[in-house]
Amino acid sequence: MGIFAPDGKLAGFLNALGNLIVLNILTLICSIPIFTFGASMTALYTMVMRMARKEDGKIISEYFKAFKANFKPATILWLIFGGLIAFMTFDIWLLRSITGTFGTVYRVILFVIILIFAMVLIHIFAVLARFDNSIKNTAKNALLFCVGKLPQAVLMLILTLIPAILLTVSYRFISVDFLIGLSGPAYLAAIYFADLFKAYEEEETVE
């Protein structure tokens, strides 16, 4: 049957796409209270990394299991880093009326710091999804991964921001964002993270 075979590439692609749509909707719903966004994203990364590693499982039940298991550390780290990002974003908005070199340089510096925190936060979700560790060590390891693989970290940030950037281009992309705006970039990032974490997972297994 070729491409249309039940275990063919087309069927595999459609199955993966369906799972990503389900995961995206689950993540959006679970993120409605805002403070649960960290746990929602960690659960999403747990599932997409399993998909990247070709690990089978029940999408919905396993998602909520991961959400519950990582709720406390994910929420604390999200409130810290997300709060800092929100504060600095608000600071940039307040200083928008300040003209001249000082105002411009200050806003640029704040914007760069926001991007750095966002990169670290993406890695935090991935590290939490894959490793059992303390909150402090999770943040530390996420930062080390960012610094050690800076070009890749920047690429992961760009992938994550693409859905938001598309919305600034046209509101018509809202349907795409609703279906795979979070899960699509997370899955692409998971392919990278699965390879990045492989050596460290082998070390844990040996220990």
Side-chain angles (χ1 to χ4, degrees):
M1 295 178 66
I3 192 173
F4 297 106
D7 57 347
K9 291 184 178 180
L10 179 60
F13 170 77
L14 293 176
N15 181 62
L17 180 60
N19 287 339
L20 290 176
I21 291 173
V22 171
L23 288 171
N24 200 79
I25 294 173
L26 282 176
T27 304
L28 289 173
I29 292 173
C30 291
S31 299
I32 290 175
I34 298 178
F35 77 91
T36 59
F37 181 75
S40 302
M41 288 299 294
T42 301
L44 172 62
Y45 269 89
T46 299
M47 300 311 299
V48 292
M49 278 200 278
R50 289 181 184 178
M51 290 174 61
R53 294 159 61 97
K54 309 298 182 184
E55 296 176 355
D56 295 327
K58 297 179 180 179
I59 291 294
I60 297 177
S61 61
E62 291 297 317
Y63 176 91
F64 283 111
K65 182 179 178 181
F67 180 92
K68 182 179 179 181
N70 296 293
F71 183 82
K72 182 178 178 180
T75 300
I76 291 173
L77 288 166
W78 159 243
L79 290 178
I80 292 172
F81 284 88
L84 288 171
I85 290 172
F87 175 78
M88 287 184 286
T89 302
F90 182 66
D91 204 16
I92 291 176
W93 182 79
L94 285 178
L95 296 173
R96 69 192 186 284
S97 60
I98 298 180
T99 57
T101 303
F102 173 78
T104 301
V105 171
Y106 187 68
R107 287 193 295 272
V108 169
I109 292 174
L110 283 180
F111 184 70
V112 171
I113 294 174
I114 287 172
L115 294 180
I116 292 172
F117 281 157
M119 283 192 295
V120 174
L121 197 53
I122 292 169
H123 283 68
I124 282 174
F125 296 147
V127 172
L128 269 177
R130 203 62 204 173
F131 302 102
D132 291 325
N133 218 327
S134 66
I135 293 174
K136 178 182 177 181
N137 285 337
T138 296
K140 176 184 175 182
N141 291 336
L143 179 60
L144 290 174
F145 280 128
C146 280
V147 174
K149 302 285 186 178
L150 187 58
Q152 293 89 333
V154 172
L155 179 59
M156 296 306 105
L157 177 64
I158 294 172
L159 283 174
T160 303
L161 292 178
I162 284 176
I165 295 172
L166 290 177
L167 275 183
T168 64
V169 174
S170 173
Y171 69 91
R172 294 182 179 87
F173 287 109
I174 193 170
S175 58
V176 177
D177 283 3
F178 178 76
L179 295 176
I180 57 169
L182 294 173
S183 62
Y187 177 69
L188 295 177
I191 297 173
Y192 160 71
F193 284 124
D195 183 63
L196 176 65
F197 295 158
K198 189 179 298 182
Y200 301 92
E201 291 167 355
E202 291 172 356
E203 287 179 8
E204 279 196 345
T205 303
V206 171
E207 292 176 1

